[in-house]
Amino acid sequence: MPGDQQPPRRRRPRAFGLRTRLVLAFLLVAAVGCGTTAALTYRAARNAILEQTQDTAVTAFRQQVETLNTTMPIHPEGLRDELLRIARQGKPRPWRVYAEYGTLRVSSTDRPESTVLTPELRSRAHALGTTHGSFQRVVRNGTPYLTIAVPAVFSGRGGGYPAGRPTGLVVYAVMDLGEEEANIEAMVVAARDGALPALLVALIPALVAARSVLRPVRELRLAAHSMGRGRLDTRIHAKGSDELSDLARTFNESAAELERSVAELRRAEARARRFASDVSHELRTPLAGMLAVTEVLDEDAGALDSDTARAVRLISAETGKLAVLVEDLMEISRFDARAAELHTDEVDAAETVRKTLIRRHWTDPAEVVTDLTDGIRARLDPRRFDVVVANLVGNALRHGGPPVTVRVYEDGARAELVTEVADRGPGIPDDVLPHVFDRFYKGDPARTRSAGSGLGLAITLENVRLHGGTVVAANRPDGGAVFTVRIPL
């Protein structure tokens, strides 16, 4: 029915869907792996390069210092010649060599002292009893250097000094580590430049893995959407033995069980509708005969004694109620079977309401007050709209309080025909309000009998839905109930 149709939901775009998160997680793991591997490799290679250069330089410098021809007293010119010789023998590349003896400063360069040598290195070199020397890596103005300090000792070949005794002369070597640093920087650049291609290569298995995960998830979503639209025979192709395959099999089992349950419910509902329809049809013929008989009895009731007349009138009234109930049941069964049809025509809404009230003799202003806007043309099924108005007004007269007000006007903003039926009664209890359109619902459980069939408001709701409209029940602020029917123009 038009009133039951729901607009299709639009899926809101998701900036970080499952595919994006899976790919990003995969790339993050790859990036962390590449970064960790590169960092460990860089550290190991850097230490290897620097230690190899450092060991070579320290060993070679110690050997050169051991060959130093030290005589006392020390002559600066002779010492300078020795320092130049040692500088030329530098490994793995030439050194800048400096010597210190007390206040004497001699070097293989034009400058007698070096700004690269630190006080810490000098302190270790001049420590009492030190003969092995020490080394230190320092950075000056962004350039790395290896500095070596080795004390000179007496050789014992003459001069009256014992072999191995420190002479007090300390020889320093300074070697530029720029070439090693350049090699290390080249390794860093190579690792950095190789990281991007590695991530691009890792993107391929990431997409493949995401696709393998998302394909069954997508199939599950489409299957659930299809089932939500009523296709209960939807199934998912499940293969493999992983968790997603188990989920697909569970979904198929649940869908099969749901299909069996819904099919059974539909069969039971169809049997109930058919039963109500068959019973209603079967009752029409005997009811017609009973109505004819009760009409004859009503005419002769005045000639009967009071008890018999009262019984005759009771049977006649109850037979009339039964006839109304049968007609309402047949109408409801047509709605349930989707067999109810609209036969619309362009009518004047106000005039249609007037005819409904006149036909049922609701013209007493003390009972029904009208506020009808003439000239509203709407496409309605006159018979069904008549039933809607009659049921609402009759319900207001039975359960509300007079006068009942009937309003008809046009809501131009929403292009709808609005029909309001309000009474002056006590209103509808809050716990009853959500159920007023339910079939055979009684607001007061102690009230087992009513003047109507119990289906009037349910039939009203179905007729309004058939027109594509809505009907709402509410309580007025100043007392009484109001039913508002909105039908698109």
Side-chain angles (χ1 to χ4, degrees), residues 51-109:
E51 288 178 1
Q52 181 180 4
T53 301
Q54 172 184 292
D55 293 345
T56 301
V58 170
T59 302
F61 186 65
R62 282 176 178 168
Q63 291 175 354
Q64 293 298 324
V65 173
E66 289 175 359
T67 63
L68 181 65
N69 185 13
T70 305
T71 60
M72 292 297 172
I74 294 177
H75 299 285
E77 292 299 329
L79 181 58
R80 178 179 174 80
D81 292 339
E82 288 294 319
L83 296 182
L84 289 172
R85 178 185 63 81
I86 293 175
R88 287 193 294 268
Q89 299 297 322
K91 293 180 181 180
R93 65 182 61 85
W95 305 316
R96 294 197 299 274
V97 184
Y98 302 86
E100 295 181 356
Y101 183 76
T103 59
L104 179 64
R105 301 291 186 268
V106 182
S107 74
S108 62
T109 65

Side-chain angles (χ1 to χ4, degrees), residues 34-35 38 184-201:
C34 291
I184 293 172
E185 289 294 332
M187 292 176 55
V188 173
V189 172
R192 183 189 62 196
D193 294 343
L196 183 59
L199 290 178
L200 292 178
V201 172

Side-chain angles (χ1 to χ4, degrees), residues 5-19:
Q5 293 179 354
Q6 299 291 334
R9 292 183 177 181
R10 292 185 177 180
R11 288 195 303 124
R12 290 183 293 180
R14 291 165 290 184
F16 292 97
L18 184 56
R19 177 191 296 274

Side-chain angles (χ1 to χ4, degrees), residues 253-274:
E253 293 171 0
S254 302
E257 185 62 28
L258 178 62
E259 185 180 15
R260 286 192 294 269
S261 300
V262 171
E264 180 61 30
L265 288 174
R266 286 175 176 172
R267 286 192 293 268
E269 183 182 4
R271 288 194 299 268
R273 286 200 304 265
R274 188 167 54 250

Side-chain angles (χ1 to χ4, degrees), residues 23 26-27 198-208:
V23 172
F26 199 98
L27 292 181
L199 290 178
L200 292 178
V201 172
L203 182 61
I204 297 176
L207 292 174
V208 173

Side-chain angles (χ1 to χ4, degrees), residues 310-485:
R310 188 181 305 110
V312 167
R313 292 189 179 93
L314 178 61
I315 292 174
S316 177
E318 294 301 322
T319 303
K321 291 180 183 179
L322 184 58
V324 172
L325 175 61
V326 169
E327 293 296 330
D328 288 346
L329 283 174
M330 292 184 63
E331 184 72 5
I332 283 291
S333 65
R334 282 192 288 269
F335 282 118
D336 290 342
R338 302 293 189 267
E341 296 180 353
L342 278 179
H343 300 283
T344 61
D345 192 8
E346 186 172 335
V347 297
D348 186 306
E351 186 62 28
T352 303
V353 172
R354 288 193 187 95
K355 291 180 180 178
T356 298
L357 300 178
I358 293 172
R359 190 177 298 118
R360 289 162 178 81
H361 306 290
W362 292 330
T363 56
D364 186 355
E367 291 186 349
V368 179
V369 178
T370 59
D371 180 9
L372 311 177
T373 303
D374 293 319
I376 302 177
R377 308 294 296 180
R379 293 203 65 84
L380 304 171
D381 185 327
R383 184 185 71 83
R384 295 190 180 279
F385 188 66
D386 173 80
V387 171
V388 169
V389 175
N391 284 347
L392 292 179
V393 175
N395 183 76
L397 290 173
R398 276 193 302 272
H399 304 295
V404 175
T405 303
V406 182
R407 290 185 62 204
V408 173
Y409 61 93
E410 178 182 355
D411 187 347
R414 300 170 61 175
E416 291 177 337
L417 170 67
V418 182
T419 304
E420 290 183 358
V421 178
D423 61 60
R424 297 293 179 179
I428 305 173
D430 292 338
D431 58 333
V432 176
L433 202 56
H435 306 285
V436 292
F437 295 104
D438 294 351
R439 301 174 184 180
F440 299 108
Y441 182 80
K442 291 181 174 60
D444 183 6
R447 181 170 56 86
T448 57
R449 295 179 57 81
S450 63
S453 65
L455 296 172
L457 291 181
I459 292 174
T460 298
L461 175 64
E462 296 296 341
N463 279 315
V464 173
R465 284 180 175 175
L466 202 60
H467 281 87
T470 59
V471 56
V472 177
N475 288 315
R476 299 171 56 183
D478 56 348
V482 57
F483 288 80
T484 304
V485 177

